[in-house]
């Protein structure tokens, strides 16, 4: 679809040009011209009158106008009316939803996207209605001539129907996750981040799976949970859908996608070192804001002793695509520190935790690449393992167990990291290790013959 990109330079942020072109390509939009204007966005129609007239004169056959930011309903409706009924108007949110719709392959994801589209486009129905009535049809929602009241009622009915279906799906997913948690009682650590940062690559390495990866946006459109003991302790990791800039009310429609993964107050955030430092800072801020909105908790990096807090462990990827990755990662963390300390000073720390300057040590810099040497792989595993254990300390207990029945031994390996196993001359099995305290207590209650040394 031949498309013209229009954007005010006042809306330009790090990585916007690259990001919007990637998304446009995924949505099958062919950008034949870019117009970046210097003035602030027009509050009524976003683009200036001159630009609109220029496009209508010079590009009569254009099929779509792309605005790489979210348009307010008034801007959307006015601009759509100005450009005419034969040109599709697509803003950033609409573009993202088109990409999601194209890639979604699960029943729940398709429902979420349908609901998100309806909720987002409902305030922008004015122009759609006018076009529909001009053509004596109802537009993209259903066929047949309708009055405004009929179409509004039809949209509300469809939204209510989708919300009911999604609530049923959410309850089903929640029940499955609760049963999983009750059975294993192990932590679930989601791997979070913007799209195309390397989340699935890290997940594949940790779990020895082979999920599809790629540089294109939103290769992963459904979460996947897998258990691994690669870091010593058994841990459930979750590969997640890439986060991005969405209105919070639209983010709410994707509750099934994210909410079940964020129950254990600990996650990994993936930061792509091939991107600019400023873009990484912006992505951290956005992800923390999104997680805080979903969990209703503050979000922090490094701060491990705060209550009612979701903690994030940063992993820096694509270290082979930047010069001096360690220094760049350290700079990013220091900038996050400075930003959050200023927010604390201004009394605006509802969302962000505090990171002190002296908290940035070498062990905080966890670097990853799919081209690591054996030495770098060992260092990555050791650093990530130590960091996760640091956060999980309240859930862990060091214990030496004696007189362990042979049939119980495998269970202990499932709930802990075994550092010693031996058999005494009397044939007693002794096992020493770090265990998750809650499932260990259950094992001890079920096997009273086991003695604690």
């Amino acid at each position: 679809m031949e498309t013209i990109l229009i954007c005010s330079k006042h809306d330009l942020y790090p990585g916007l040009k690259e990001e919007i072109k990637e998304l446009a390509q995924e949505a099958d939009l062919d950008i034949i011209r870019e117009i970046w204007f210097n003035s602030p966005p027009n509050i009524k129609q976003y683009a200036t009158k001159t630009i609109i007239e220029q496009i209508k004169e010079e590009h009569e056959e254009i099929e779509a106008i792309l605005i790489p930011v979210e348009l307010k309903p008034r801007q959307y409706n006015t601009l759509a009316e100005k450009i005419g009924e034969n040109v599709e108007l697509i803003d950033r949110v609409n573009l993202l939803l088109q990409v999601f719709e194209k890639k979604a392959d699960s029943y729940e994801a398709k429902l979420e996207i349908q609901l998100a589209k309806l909720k987002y486009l409902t305030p922008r129905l004015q122009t759609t209605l006018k076009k529909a009535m001009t053509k004596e049809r109802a537009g993209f929602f259903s066929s047949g001539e309708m009055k405004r009241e009929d179409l509004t009622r039809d949209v509300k009915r469809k939204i209510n129907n989708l919300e009911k279906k999604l609530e049923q799906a959410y309850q089903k997913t929640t029940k499955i996750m609760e049963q999983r948690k009750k059975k294993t009682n192990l932590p679930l650590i989601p791997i979070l981040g913007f799209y195309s940062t390397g989340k699935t690559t890290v997940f594949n390495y940790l779990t020895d799976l082979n999920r599809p990866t790629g540089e294109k946006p939103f290769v992963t459109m459904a979460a996947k949970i897998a258990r691994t003991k690669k870091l010593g302790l058994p841990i459930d990791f979750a590969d997640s859908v890439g986060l991005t800039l969405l209105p919070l009310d639209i983010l709410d429609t994707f509750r099934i996608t994210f909410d079940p993964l964020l129950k254990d107050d600990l996650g990994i955030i993936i930061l792509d070192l091939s991107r600019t430092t400023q873009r990484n800072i912006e992505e951290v801020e956005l992800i923390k804001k999104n997680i805080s909105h979903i969990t209703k908790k503050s979000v922090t990096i490094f701060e491990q002793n705060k209550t009612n807090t979701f903690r994030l462990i940063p992993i820096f990827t694509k270290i082979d695509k930047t010069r001096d990755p360690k220094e760049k990662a350290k700079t990013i963390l220091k900038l996050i520190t400075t930003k959050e300390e200023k927010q604390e000073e201004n009394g605006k720390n509802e969302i962000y935790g505090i990171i002190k300057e002296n908290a940035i040590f070498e062990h905080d810099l966890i670097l990853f690449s799919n081209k690591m040497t054996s030495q770098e792989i060992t260092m990555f595993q050791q650093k990530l393992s130590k960091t996760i254990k640091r956060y999980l300390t309240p859930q862990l207990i060091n214990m030496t167990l004696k007189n362990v029945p042979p049939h119980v031994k495998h269970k202990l390996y499932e709930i802990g990291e075994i550092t010693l196993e031996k058999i005494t001359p009397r044939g007693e099995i002794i096992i020493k290790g770090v265990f998750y305290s809650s499932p260990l207590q259950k094992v001890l209650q079920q096997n009273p013959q086991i003695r604690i040394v």
Side-chain angles (χ1 to χ4, degrees):
M1 183 183 294
E2 291 194 346
T3 305
I4 293 180
L5 171 67
I6 302 175
C7 186
S8 166
K9 291 183 179 179
H10 288 252
D11 286 329
L12 192 60
Y13 60 81
L16 173 63
K17 289 184 178 181
E18 297 81 3
E19 178 188 40
I20 208 68
K21 288 176 182 178
E22 290 173 354
L23 294 171
Q25 186 176 11
E26 288 301 300
D28 299 322
L29 301 181
D30 178 20
I31 299 177
I32 62 171
R33 183 180 178 185
E34 299 176 28
I35 300 176
W36 300 85
F37 58 95
N38 294 318
S39 58
N42 185 289
I43 59 172
K44 292 183 179 180
Q45 59 195 28
Y46 189 82
T48 64
K49 182 179 179 181
T50 302
I51 290 174
I52 296 171
E53 291 177 349
Q54 179 185 355
I55 291 173
K56 293 175 75 171
E57 289 176 6
E58 299 177 7
H59 298 276
E60 294 182 0
E61 302 301 320
I62 196 69
E63 297 173 271
I65 298 291
L66 174 60
I67 310 294
V69 295
E70 178 189 356
L71 292 177
K72 296 176 181 178
R74 181 185 183 185
Q75 292 175 319
Y76 185 98
N77 287 321
T78 305
L79 182 56
E81 187 172 359
K82 296 284 186 183
I83 62 177
E85 62 184 32
N86 294 322
V87 180
E88 183 178 357
L89 177 59
I90 305 169
D91 71 354
R92 176 189 169 81
V93 178
N94 204 348
L95 175 63
L96 283 166
L97 294 177
Q98 286 187 26
V99 175
F100 292 167
E101 187 173 38
K102 179 181 176 181
K103 291 178 173 282
D105 55 5
S106 72
Y107 169 75
E108 292 81 4
K110 290 176 181 178
L111 287 180
E112 287 175 325
I113 293 162
Q114 287 179 46
L115 179 60
K117 287 181 71 175
L118 284 173
K119 282 193 169 184
Y120 187 68
L121 292 174
T122 296
R124 297 158 177 79
L125 274 174
Q126 177 182 321
T127 306
T128 304
L129 263 174
K130 193 167 184 178
K131 291 179 181 180
M133 294 174 73
T134 301
K135 294 183 176 182
E136 294 188 344
R137 60 180 178 82
F140 57 86
F141 288 110
S142 57
S143 59
E145 185 175 359
M146 279 188 177
K147 295 180 180 178
R148 181 188 299 269
E149 295 80 6
D150 294 332
L151 182 54
T152 301
R153 193 182 306 113
D154 187 53
V155 171
K156 287 181 178 179
R157 179 182 60 78
K158 290 186 176 183
I159 288 176
N160 290 336
N161 187 40
L162 285 169
E163 286 178 334
K164 288 178 182 178
K165 289 181 179 180
L166 278 170
E167 181 59 29
Q168 292 172 353
Y170 176 77
Q171 294 300 332
K172 181 180 178 181
T173 301
T174 301
K175 186 176 181 179
I176 292 171
M177 295 296 288
E178 287 175 349
Q179 290 172 344
R180 180 189 182 98
K181 185 71 173 178
K182 187 177 180 179
K183 182 179 179 181
T184 66
N185 216 1
L186 298 183
L188 172 61
I189 301 179
I191 300 175
L192 307 161
F194 250 59
Y195 63 83
S196 301
T197 53
K199 298 181 302 301
T200 302
T201 302
V202 173
F203 176 81
N204 284 342
Y205 170 76
L206 290 172
T207 61
D208 291 323
L209 295 181
N210 191 29
R211 299 198 84 196
T213 61
E215 293 297 327
K216 292 184 177 181
F218 303 106
V219 174
T220 300
M221 281 301 294
K224 174 71 175 179
I225 299 172
R227 184 164 304 158
T228 180
K229 291 201 68 174
K230 187 170 281 191
L231 302 180
L233 282 171
I235 297 172
D236 286 343
F237 285 104
D239 188 19
S240 66
V241 179
L243 288 162
T244 187
L245 180 61
L246 280 174
L248 294 180
D249 60 328
I250 300 300
L251 181 64
D252 287 337
T253 65
F254 295 93
R255 188 167 60 137
I256 298 176
T257 299
F258 295 107
D259 185 72
L261 306 181
L262 304 174
K263 298 298 186 183
D264 282 341
D265 296 344
L266 179 62
I268 288 171
I269 180 172
I270 302 297
L271 299 173
D272 178 354
L273 285 180
S274 69
R275 297 178 178 178
T276 65
T277 295
Q278 186 57 38
R279 182 171 178 182
N280 273 291
I281 298 299
E282 297 289 340
E283 290 180 4
V284 169
E285 296 247 353
L286 178 64
I287 289 166
K288 292 169 100 176
K289 183 178 179 181
N290 285 346
I291 294 173
S292 181
H293 178 76
I294 295 167
T295 63
K296 311 305 179 189
K297 296 178 180 179
S298 62
V299 183
T300 180
I301 295 177
F302 302 136
E303 197 75 27
Q304 61 199 71
N305 297 318
K306 297 185 71 176
T307 58
N308 198 38
T309 300
F310 191 96
R311 286 82 45 87
L312 287 170
I313 299 171
I315 292 180
F316 295 91
T317 59
K318 305 184 185 179
I319 61 175
D320 54 311
K321 296 183 179 180
T322 186
R323 188 173 60 181
D324 202 347
K326 186 179 292 186
E327 284 304 311
K328 186 172 183 179
K330 194 177 291 186
T331 298
I332 291 170
L333 293 181
K334 286 182 178 179
L335 287 171
I336 295 171
T337 300
T338 304
K339 198 174 188 71
E340 293 185 347
E341 285 177 345
K342 286 181 179 179
Q343 288 167 342
E344 172 68 8
E345 290 171 7
N346 295 331
K348 298 178 180 178
N349 201 43
E350 298 93 347
I351 293 176
Y352 304 105
I354 308 168
I355 311 171
K356 298 302 181 185
E357 182 78 17
N358 59 10
I360 303 175
F361 300 112
E362 288 296 312
H363 65 255
D364 294 318
L365 301 175
I366 305 175
L367 308 179
F368 177 86
S369 167
N370 56 5
K371 298 179 181 178
M372 292 188 294
T373 65
S374 58
Q375 185 179 0
E376 289 171 333
I377 289 172
T378 301
M379 188 177 298
F380 168 76
Q381 291 182 194
Q382 289 175 347
K383 285 189 174 185
L384 183 56
S385 177
K386 287 180 180 178
T387 304
I388 290 176
K389 286 176 183 176
R390 196 165 78 235
Y391 283 103
L392 295 178
T393 296
Q395 302 178 40
L396 301 175
I397 184 169
N398 283 285
M399 191 76 70
T400 302
L401 306 172
K402 191 175 182 180
N403 200 30
V404 177
H407 70 277
V408 178
K409 189 171 65 173
H410 78 281
K411 182 63 179 176
L412 294 174
Y413 275 87
E414 289 177 357
I415 62 171
E417 179 181 0
I418 307 303
T419 57
L420 173 68
E421 178 187 343
K422 69 178 184 178
I423 300 177
T424 68
R426 298 176 57 182
E428 294 179 324
I429 298 176
I430 295 177
I431 290 181
K432 181 180 180 180
V434 181
F435 304 94
Y436 292 106
S437 56
S438 181
L440 177 61
Q441 291 301 321
K442 187 175 180 180
V443 170
L444 294 177
Q445 289 171 5
Q446 294 173 345
N447 301 274
Q449 71 272 42
I450 297 177
R451 288 178 290 162
I452 300 173
V453 179

